[in-house]
Amino acid sequence: MVRLPGNKSEPGKLRAAFFALLVHVVFLALLVFGLNWKNEAPEALSVDLWADLPSHPIKPAAPVAKTTSQPKPVKPQPQPQPQQKTQPQPQPVIKAAPPPVRKPEIALKDKTEKPHPEKEVKKPEPVKKEAPKEAPTQKTVEKPVPKEAIKKPEPIKKETPKIEPAKKVEQKDDAQQRAEAHKQAQQQEQQMAAAQARAMGEIEKYKAMIQAKIRSRIIMPPDLPGNPAAEFTVTLLPGGDVLTVILRKSSGYPVFDDAVERAIYLAKPLPLPPDPGLFSAFRNLNLAVYYRE
Amino acid sequence: MSKTITQDLSFLHLIGGASLPVQLVMLLLLLASLVSWWFIFRKLFTLRQEIKQTDEFESVFWRGSDLNALYQRAASARHVAGSMERIFEAGFREFTKYQSGVDIGPVMDSTRGAMRAVYQREMDRLESHLSFLATVGSVSPYVGLFGTVWGIMNAFRELSNVGQATIAHVAPGIAEALIATAMGLFAAIPAVIAYNRYASDTAQLATRYESFIEEVSNVLQRRVAKPRDMANFS
């Protein structure tokens, strides 16, 4: 009866397809380029890595550099000029990535000026010039990049000069390097010692804090004669939780022993240094608690 | 160690590094998402045009214009006419097939029947592809979840081969598995939103058409009461 209405052509099929594709392309582009998947993570990681370290190594390093070098305040600023003339070797070390235009210049100077500066400057150098030369390199390496660990830049300093001058001036540089290496070893030792002392200080500090916290929790039994001491071995968990408390040496008064033991459990979590590397010193803690201070 | 992990976590690396079933799931979801967006835009254009045409025809019809002229216009512009115009056209054609003097009951019945038929067909056209959107909206999260579960299963199975398990061993596997869920949701959310929107739009149009059918049959019935006018129609 009724004729079929002609199939109505649907509007914008192609346009719709185009829009659909556009939506996906935009979304994908947003995902790939909009979010910095790659860049975010390394930043966070590098912060994690260096958060604790710089406080130990850099402070001891600074005074060393200061004492050895007098012309230091002058040298670092006009760096490019004095170094190009007098010290052709250390330059590539200081500037790890100089603009590529500079390199040929240095190479040229190496060839042309080598004989003169080597004889003029280097002869009196080995002992005296050592320090000033050493100082600016340290300055440039350590100051602007305080996050870099001490251990990393140092091997580079040792090795890179070795390779480059070795071809041309071997004997002088040998002496120089030995002196340098010696100096750096000394420095390193000093820094290690300083770091160790610092760690020891930290451990002592936290031990005192633990003592104080436990002491504040003790309910002292009244009227004990003398100054009895109870010694305990406390096993700690990372985070400061108390795992076990073992009475190592009784004070002779069970009342006092019990009070101290209770106090140790009450005092948890015990304060621990934030550096997890120091925890090993606290795992089995020997505590001696005196009745009187 | 840390460096390799951060490099692996880029988006395209994760997709490339996923196992084959997970990649298939992702491909399926991408296709579903593409097609559903295609339908979303098609439906968007169709419905928008439909509503506009219905508005226009309704205003013209109720302005009291001549039914005969309206019919002529609708019949000539059948391929671009809106649904309401087509319904009117079918009903009026059926009505004019009966000449005066015939009992009014069967005439109105068949007129209404003709309009109903076109109405059903038009509704069918408007609702086409909506079911696909509904399917994508409800199923693709599960498909994505399947991909994720599969990927995590693999990540943990690989973990069992490693002596010392760290989060770094499972993290890339889980991350790449979770992309499947993300894609499922990306396909599903717009589809569900569009489905709900278009379903309510079509329902509104359907109500308008149904009431229009009733109104047109009333108008035509009144016409029969004045048979002299009918002489003009043929």
Side-chain angles (χ1 to χ4, degrees):
Chain A
M1 284 195 356
V2 181
R3 272 196 293 160
L4 282 171
N7 273 340
K8 202 173 149 187
S9 62
E10 205 182 301
K13 261 190 190 180
L14 273 178
R15 202 152 51 109
F18 170 73
F19 276 125
L21 264 179
L22 191 74
V23 166
H24 286 80
V25 169
V26 166
F27 185 70
L28 199 73
L30 209 77
L31 276 184
V32 175
F33 302 113
L35 304 176
N36 278 335
W37 301 68
K38 278 187 185 177
N39 295 353
E40 294 283 343
E43 265 177 49
L45 277 176
S46 68
V47 169
D48 271 354
L49 279 173
W50 301 116
D52 304 331
L53 281 176
S55 61
H56 306 302
I58 274 187
K59 275 176 192 167
V64 175
K66 265 174 200 164
T67 48
T68 48
S69 67
Q70 293 92 358
K72 208 183 78 188
V74 193
K75 281 237 168 163
Q77 286 114 3
Q79 243 175 28
Q81 292 119 4
Q83 270 161 10
Q84 275 186 1
K85 282 171 194 167
T86 55
Q87 319 165 325
Q89 295 101 348
Q91 217 198 3
V93 185
I94 296 165
K95 297 231 165 178
V101 195
R102 279 222 168 151
K103 279 219 164 160
E105 273 181 35
I106 298 163
L108 273 179
K109 265 172 194 164
D110 275 358
K111 279 171 193 168
T112 52
E113 291 185 26
K114 253 280 146 72
H116 309 290
E118 284 302 319
K119 277 166 193 170
E120 287 168 9
V121 185
K122 282 271 159 85
K123 271 195 179 171
E125 214 176 18
V127 191
K128 275 196 174 179
K129 279 267 167 159
E130 201 58 42
K133 198 197 271 179
E134 177 59 28
T137 56
Q138 272 199 348
K139 250 250 158 162
T140 48
V141 173
E142 285 176 357
K143 279 270 162 92
V145 197
K147 274 182 189 171
E148 273 190 37
I150 286 289
K151 282 181 186 173
K152 272 192 182 172
E154 271 175 1
I156 298 170
K157 269 188 241 159
K158 276 183 211 165
E159 285 168 14
T160 39
K162 226 178 243 173
I163 299 162
E164 288 181 11
K167 298 163 192 167
K168 289 158 191 170
V169 207
E170 286 142 26
Q171 296 170 342
K172 276 172 197 166
D173 283 3
D174 258 6
Q176 208 172 309
Q177 279 159 25
R178 243 174 274 141
E180 218 167 284
H182 183 64
K183 194 172 236 349
Q184 275 156 11
Q186 265 186 343
Q187 258 176 25
Q188 214 165 347
E189 264 172 39
Q190 277 178 2
Q191 285 157 11
M192 294 279 280
Q196 245 175 8
R198 195 174 280 269
M200 290 303 290
E202 196 89 329
I203 291 173
E204 287 306 315
K205 192 179 108 192
Y206 275 92
K207 275 188 176 162
M209 279 166 73
I210 291 172
Q211 281 269 4
K213 190 167 184 188
I214 290 172
R215 184 158 269 285
S216 72
R217 298 288 196 281
I218 300 178
I219 301 162
M220 287 292 185
D223 300 333
L224 295 185
N227 189 7
E231 288 182 26
F232 286 89
T233 300
V234 181
T235 312
L236 287 182
L237 292 173
D241 246 354
V242 176
L243 189 64
T244 56
V245 178
I246 299 162
L247 182 62
R248 202 150 50 90
K249 186 164 161 275
S250 171
S251 59
Y253 301 94
V255 197
F256 181 59
D257 295 344
D258 288 348
V260 174
E261 192 174 339
R262 274 196 302 274
I264 291 173
Y265 279 118
L266 276 177
K268 75 183 178 184
L270 295 174
L272 284 180
D275 182 3
L278 297 181
F279 175 71
S280 55
F282 291 89
R283 186 167 281 122
N284 291 308
L285 198 61
N286 288 329
L287 283 176
V289 181
Y290 290 87
Y291 182 60
R292 291 176 220 285
E293 288 284 351
Chain B
M1 174 88 105
S2 60
K3 208 160 195 187
T4 58
I5 285 163
T6 54
Q7 277 169 353
D8 280 347
L9 281 184
S10 88
F11 187 65
L12 294 177
H13 261 101
L14 282 183
I15 293 179
S19 60
L20 188 68
V22 180
Q23 274 178 338
L24 283 180
V25 163
M26 286 179 189
L27 188 72
L28 186 73
L29 288 173
L30 184 70
L31 284 180
S33 169
L34 267 170
V35 176
S36 79
W37 273 97
W38 187 39
F39 285 153
I40 285 172
F41 281 113
R42 273 170 68 180
K43 282 277 121 188
L44 181 71
F45 299 145
T46 313
L47 282 172
R48 214 194 267 158
Q49 196 193 33
E50 205 60 57
I51 290 171
K52 202 177 122 212
Q53 283 173 336
T54 306
D55 286 346
E56 273 172 13
F57 183 75
E58 238 177 3
S59 74
V60 170
F61 185 83
W62 292 117
R63 220 179 282 148
S65 24
D66 183 17
L67 291 188
N68 214 13
L70 269 181
Y71 170 71
Q72 294 294 342
R73 207 190 80 173
S76 63
R78 180 182 292 155
H79 288 277
V80 290
S83 304
M84 198 177 252
E85 209 167 349
R86 289 191 201 192
I87 290 170
F88 168 74
E89 184 215 340
F92 200 77
R93 189 190 307 112
E94 191 63 29
F95 180 74
T96 51
K97 277 183 183 162
Y98 292 89
Q99 287 308 316
S100 54
V102 188
D103 192 15
I104 190 167
V107 175
M108 287 327 291
D109 275 352
S110 69
T111 303
R112 200 170 283 145
M115 288 198 284
R116 284 248 153 237
V118 177
Y119 160 77
Q120 298 289 357
R121 211 171 288 132
E122 289 297 312
M123 286 319 292
D124 204 40
R125 187 177 63 86
L126 286 181
E127 279 170 357
S128 67
H129 306 318
L130 274 191
S131 65
F132 179 81
L133 288 184
T135 310
V136 167
S138 55
V139 167
S140 65
Y142 295 116
V143 177
L145 193 64
F146 167 72
T148 297
V149 167
W150 191 270
I152 289 181
M153 265 163 55
N154 277 347
F156 279 120
R157 255 202 1 234
E158 281 161 24
L159 189 67
S160 68
N161 300 333
V162 183
Q164 212 179 19
T166 61
I167 195 80
H169 286 119
V170 258
I174 290 178
E176 73 194 20
L178 283 175
I179 285 183
T181 303
M183 288 178 77
L185 292 178
F186 173 70
I189 292 170
V192 169
I193 291 175
Y195 173 78
N196 286 334
R197 170 82 201 283
Y198 297 158
S200 84
D201 276 0
T202 20
Q204 267 180 354
L205 281 175
T207 331
R208 282 172 81 173
Y209 295 158
E210 271 180 339
S211 48
F212 179 75
I213 289 172
E214 297 306 316
E215 284 157 356
V216 167
S217 42
N218 284 344
V219 168
L220 292 178
Q221 206 161 359
R222 253 179 278 136
R223 285 248 158 168
V224 183
K226 298 182 268 177
R228 275 180 299 135
D229 295 348
M230 292 300 294
N232 299 333
F233 299 156
S234 59

